[in-house]
């Protein structure tokens, strides 16, 4: 087969640019489905694995079906691009609506959307490859297509979390990529007009798809807010997507709630119970709580309570998401909740991964507070691994104290006792320390657990508390360290990076609890 001529250069350039564009768009469609499913259903590793696995399988189906396209390859490619622009560009809004209408039916909607979009993405490259083969050697066509396909996927994987998601949001990002697919279809029709018969239906479809996607793009923020208002009981006052998570703040009367990835983080009606129980025992356990390290807690509510404690001179707060800490240091309603703690001159914000911070930092702190997300998958489970706790304890002064939130000892008892046992394993170092599991009832969460590490001789039941507490007193403090029979210690594994045991215990515990709750509700309704 002859090499392409110079007169063939513009169409070939359009086709090569199309390879790059469709690869970037296809990768982002995968990320949109995975991110949205994680946000709505939780369990990031599991959801991403299922979504991407199904998406890739559908791509394989599309590539297989491409062999049955025998004639008018350019026309077939344009039709596939228009269909992909429509399906991919509206994928996020369709999934949002399907969840709002029927959350049990959402997995079916994900399967259908990923199946359709994946098959169309899989159809693209074989068609482009065959078109390019007709205009040059097979060797050149394959090399160019694969190189641009991989490069486009790389750009898409970088652009989605860093640019598209934080700037456009998930619905508008999908619409933007749909418009890019549509632009590829239009450019192909213009530059290869002589090889595409019966263009009228394609033009009409392009116009319809373009108008729809432009509408989705410019109304995406309002539409997302409207749908999320349906998903949440209370009025949504903040709805943003950072490069790490979906941030939702709701308000009903005086009750303000923060949701990250769809999971409740606090409710102002009872957050004081959680934060007093998290912060005050550990501060009172240290000999001199001058320097405090907080891992997590980007909402500033724990920091507010810490800064009020006598003797505290400096606080280092480490939270991965800069957008979260920016919101809680600038939004008038949110700074009112945390007492503008994130702007206190004694506090320094570090927007870093907690484990990376511990690995790279020097020096010690008198108190370390780990207010980190629940370990609902393997990536979050590492925050509670024996190696992470060991690093944290090496950064703790010899007469200092450490505490971590430890999920619910009622709903996920194996997970709670796994955290306690893992801390006990980590605490077997040169410095003698005592490990004290405890629990508290927070109405928004139910029974909630913590694990405290103190100097060996500290009596945690007689700690001196401040006078300005709303929940804790000496009697309540003493009772927190006692567990009833149904919450007693269990035999569990130590959580290590190699086994991610905690994620397994957590998932199993909460699944059993949800199934039990559903069964009770069914009995009541019947």
């Amino acid at each position: 087969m002859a090499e392409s001529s110079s007169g063939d250069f513009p169409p070939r350039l359009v086709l090569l640019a199309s390879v790059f564009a469709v690869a970037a768009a296809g990768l982002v469609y995968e990320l949109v489905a995975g991110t949205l499913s994680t946000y709505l259903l939780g369990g990031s590793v599991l959801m991403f694995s299922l979504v991407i696995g199904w998406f890739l399988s559908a791509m394989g189906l599309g590539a297989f079906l491409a062999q049955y396209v025998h004639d008018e390859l350019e026309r077939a490619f344009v039709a596939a691009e228009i269909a992909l622009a429509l399906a991919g560009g509206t994928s996020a809004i369709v999934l949002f609506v399907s969840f709002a209408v029927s959350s049990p039916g959402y997995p079916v909607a994900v399967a259908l959307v990923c199946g359709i979009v994946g098959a169309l993405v899989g159809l693209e490259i074989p068609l482009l490859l065959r078109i390019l083969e007709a205009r040059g050697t097979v060797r050149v066509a394959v090399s160019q297509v694969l190189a641009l396909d991989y490069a486009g996927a790389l750009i898409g994987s970088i652009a989605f979390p860093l640019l598209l998601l934080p700037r456009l949001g998930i619905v508008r990002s999908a619409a933007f990529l749909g418009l890019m697919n549509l632009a590829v279809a239009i450019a192909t029709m213009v530059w290869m007009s002589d090889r595409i018969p019966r263009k009228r239906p394609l033009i009409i479809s392009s116009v319809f798809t373009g108008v729809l996607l432009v509408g989705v793009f410019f109304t995406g923020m309002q539409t997302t807010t409207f749908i999320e208002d349906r998903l949440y009981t209370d009025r949504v006052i903040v709805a943003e997507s950072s490069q790490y998570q979906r941030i939702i703040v709701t308000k009903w009367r005086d009750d303000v709630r923060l949701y990250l990835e769809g999971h409740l983080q606090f409710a102002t009606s009872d957050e004081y119970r959680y934060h007093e129980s998290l912060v005050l025992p550990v501060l009172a356990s240290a000999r001199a709580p001058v320097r405090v390290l907080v891992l997590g807690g980007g909402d500033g509510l724990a920091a507010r309570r810490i800064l009020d404690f006598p003797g505290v001179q400096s606080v280092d707060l480490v939270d991965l998401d800069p957008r979260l800490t920016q919101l809680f240091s600038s939004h008038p309603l949110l700074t009112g909740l945390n007492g503008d703690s994130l702007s206190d001159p004694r506090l320094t914000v570090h927007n870093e991964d907690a484990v990376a911070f511990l690995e790279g930092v020097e020096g010690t702190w008198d108190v370390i507070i780990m207010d980190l997300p629940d370990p609902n998958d393997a990536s979050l489970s590492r925050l509670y691994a024996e190696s992470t706790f060991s690093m944290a304890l090496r950064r703790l002064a010899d007469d200092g104290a450490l505490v971590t939130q430890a999920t619910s000892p009622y709903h996920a008892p194996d997970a709670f006792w796994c955290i306690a046992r893992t801390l006990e394993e980590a605490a077997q170092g040169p410095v003698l320390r005592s490990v004290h599991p405890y629990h508290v009832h927070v109405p928004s969460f139910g029974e909630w657990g913590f694990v405290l590490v103190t100097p060996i001789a500290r009596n945690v039941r007689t700690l001196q508390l401040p006078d300005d507490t709303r929940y804790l007193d000496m009697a309540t403090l003493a009772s927190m360290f006692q567990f009833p029979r149904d919450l007693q210690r269990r035999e569990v594994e130590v959580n290590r990076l190699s086994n991610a045991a905690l994620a397994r215990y957590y998932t199993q515990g909460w699944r059993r609890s949800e199934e039990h709750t559903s069964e009770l509700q069914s009995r009541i309704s019947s």
Side-chain angles (χ1 to χ4, degrees):
M1 189 177 291
E3 294 287 351
S4 58
S5 64
S6 60
D8 191 43
F9 178 71
R12 188 177 183 85
L13 181 63
V14 169
L15 290 172
L16 290 174
S18 298
V19 174
F20 182 85
V22 300
L27 192 283
V28 172
Y29 291 140
E30 289 184 62
L31 296 176
V32 164
T35 301
L36 187 54
S37 297
T38 299
Y39 161 49
L40 295 174
L41 300 180
S44 59
V45 171
L46 175 62
M47 290 310 305
F48 261 101
S49 296
L50 292 176
V51 167
I52 290 176
W54 177 243
F55 198 98
L56 291 175
S57 298
M59 286 177 62
L61 175 63
F64 176 80
L65 295 175
Q67 67 182 307
Y68 296 106
V69 181
H70 300 293
D71 304 313
E72 300 180 358
L73 296 178
E74 290 84 359
R75 189 176 192 279
F77 173 71
V78 170
E81 282 301 293
I82 295 171
L84 181 58
L86 180 62
T90 60
S91 59
I93 194 73
V94 167
L95 291 176
F96 250 127
V97 171
S98 68
F99 187 84
V101 171
S102 174
S103 56
Y106 178 80
V108 176
V110 172
L112 287 173
V113 168
C114 289
I116 294 170
V117 175
L120 290 169
V121 171
L123 187 65
E124 293 173 312
I125 298 301
L127 290 178
L128 277 170
L129 188 58
R130 289 168 62 189
I131 293 169
L132 284 165
E133 284 175 1
R135 296 170 175 271
T137 65
V138 174
R139 174 180 57 80
V140 172
V142 171
S143 297
Q144 291 175 338
V145 166
L146 291 181
L148 289 169
D149 183 50
Y150 296 146
L154 173 63
I155 295 301
S157 67
I158 294 172
F160 179 70
L162 298 181
L163 295 175
L164 296 177
L165 188 59
R167 293 178 181 273
L168 299 181
I170 201 161
V171 170
R172 297 177 72 201
S173 292
F176 176 80
L177 271 298
L179 289 169
M180 191 165 76
N181 282 120
L182 186 61
V184 168
I186 293 171
T188 305
M189 280 194 289
V190 170
W191 287 102
M192 306 182 71
S193 178
D194 59 324
R195 300 180 64 89
I196 302 176
R198 305 185 308 279
K199 287 190 286 292
R200 183 180 176 83
L202 297 178
I203 294 172
I204 293 173
S205 300
S206 297
V207 172
F208 170 78
T209 301
V211 170
L212 179 62
L213 291 178
V214 168
V216 172
F217 183 85
F218 284 104
T219 63
M221 298 298 289
Q222 299 93 316
T223 304
T224 304
T225 300
F226 176 79
I227 295 171
E228 285 175 327
D229 280 337
R230 309 282 80 75
L231 296 178
Y232 294 94
T233 305
D234 306 330
R235 181 170 59 93
V236 175
I237 59 173
V238 174
E240 293 192 16
S241 293
S242 73
Q243 67 187 88
Y244 298 106
Q245 59 197 343
R246 184 67 175 168
I247 304 169
I248 300 291
V249 179
T250 67
K251 186 175 188 297
W252 183 75
R253 295 184 179 176
D254 294 330
D255 189 33
V256 178
R257 298 185 173 215
L258 170 66
Y259 296 84
L260 299 179
E261 295 291 274
H263 299 290
L264 179 65
Q265 305 301 303
F266 71 75
T268 53
S269 58
D270 56 22
E271 60 81 15
Y272 64 92
R273 282 187 168 222
Y274 175 92
H275 288 105
E276 285 187 7
S277 301
L278 172 71
V279 167
L280 297 183
V282 69
L283 289 172
S285 296
R287 184 184 65 81
V290 176
R291 298 189 69 218
V292 179
L293 172 63
V294 183
L295 303 176
D299 52 46
L301 295 179
R304 175 203 63 197
R305 189 71 239 191
I306 294 166
L307 291 166
D308 286 340
F309 197 86
V312 172
Q313 296 180 11
S314 70
V315 177
D316 289 284
L317 187 144
V318 181
D319 193 282
L320 181 64
D321 194 345
R323 186 55 193 147
L324 182 65
T325 52
Q326 288 166 6
L327 269 175
F328 277 85
S329 60
S330 60
H331 193 290
L333 174 64
L334 305 181
T335 57
L337 299 180
N338 63 27
D340 208 16
S341 61
L342 298 183
S343 299
D344 191 291
R346 293 173 292 170
L347 185 141
T348 303
V349 174
H350 307 266
N351 291 123
E352 298 181 43
D353 175 78
V355 176
F357 179 86
L358 289 172
E359 288 175 338
V361 76
E362 298 293 335
T364 61
W365 284 265
D366 305 303
V367 170
I368 297 178
I369 297 173
M370 303 179 73
D371 190 15
L372 296 164
D374 263 13
N376 56 28
D377 60 45
S379 62
L380 293 175
S381 172
R382 73 187 178 93
L383 300 174
Y384 302 84
E386 189 271 338
S387 58
T388 303
F389 286 144
S390 294
M391 279 193 293
L393 291 171
R394 285 197 295 271
R395 301 286 175 255
L396 187 65
D398 289 351
D399 53 0
L402 176 148
V403 70
T404 180
Q405 81 90 9
T407 197
S408 172
Y410 179 79
H411 295 289
D414 288 341
F416 171 79
W417 288 111
C418 176
I419 294 174
R421 186 183 173 195
T422 303
L423 251 178
E424 288 168 348
E425 185 80 7
Q428 294 178 8
V431 180
L432 294 177
R433 304 184 193 275
S434 296
V435 177
H436 312 273
Y438 64 102
H439 63 108
V440 61
H441 184 75
V442 182
S444 296
F445 298 133
E447 204 69 23
W448 209 256
F450 307 87
V451 183
L452 174 66
V453 180
T454 69
I456 192 70
R458 185 72 68 205
N459 184 346
V460 294
R461 288 173 172 78
T462 59
L463 297 173
Q464 295 301 308
L465 300 173
D467 296 328
D468 60 345
T469 59
R470 294 179 61 188
Y471 172 66
L472 284 184
D473 56 26
M474 295 304 297
T476 304
L477 177 68
S479 69
M480 286 163 45
F481 294 93
Q482 298 175 352
F483 286 83
R485 287 185 175 181
D486 60 345
L487 300 184
Q488 289 294 312
R489 179 181 290 269
R490 298 186 174 208
E491 290 301 319
V492 290
E493 297 178 59
V494 172
N495 183 47
R496 305 184 193 279
L497 295 177
S498 58
N499 63 13
L502 180 58
R504 183 174 70 253
Y505 290 139
Y506 180 93
T507 303
Q508 292 171 349
W510 280 98
R511 182 184 297 123
R512 283 194 298 266
S513 179
E514 290 168 359
E515 290 173 352
H516 179 65
T517 301
S518 298
E519 182 181 349
L520 288 177
Q521 290 175 342
S522 298
R523 289 180 179 177
I524 293 171
S525 60
S526 62

